[in-house]
Amino acid sequence: MICATKVSEREKFRISSSYYLLVTGELEKAIQTYELWARPTRATANLSANLGVDYTYLGQYEKGITASLEDLRLNPGSAAAFTNLWVCIPR
């Protein structure tokens, strides 16, 4: 990925992928950049975990389950997601 100093991570991905695609014609590098850009991050997983817990606190169990399942998809083994699912799913 091309390094630019005063832009966000998202902008770095956009600039790099556009450069490879439109300037150099290096489609493999453009695809590689898009794939890196599309990967979920730790922050995304934490966001899903927090959403799941917050929805549960509000009694919105279906949304809590959905967010917690997404957390597990992004962060397998998430204790927060398992705990939240245990609270949300009727026994």
Side-chain angles (χ1 to χ4, degrees):
M1 186 165 68
I2 300 166
C3 286
T5 55
K6 294 190 179 194
V7 296
S8 69
E9 281 298 309
R10 182 181 172 130
E11 281 297 299
K12 286 180 188 178
F13 282 116
R14 190 187 66 73
I15 292 166
S16 295
S17 58
S18 295
Y19 175 78
Y20 292 133
L21 180 67
L22 302 172
V23 177
T24 67
E26 296 174 88
L27 298 179
E28 291 296 324
K29 284 189 178 181
I31 289 169
Q32 205 171 35
T33 303
Y34 288 129
E35 288 173 346
L36 283 172
W37 191 2
R39 280 190 194 154
T41 64
R42 188 83 161 145
T44 308
N46 290 340
L47 178 66
S48 296
N50 292 343
L51 274 172
V53 170
D54 291 350
Y55 281 133
T56 301
Y57 284 152
L58 291 173
Q60 297 178 13
Y61 299 113
E62 291 295 321
K63 288 182 178 181
I65 290 169
T66 301
S68 295
L69 290 173
E70 178 66 6
D71 179 26
L72 282 176
R73 186 183 72 77
L74 298 173
N75 187 20
S78 167
F82 282 119
T83 302
N84 199 48
L85 288 169
W86 185 83
V87 171
C88 288
I89 297 175
R91 291 169 285 295

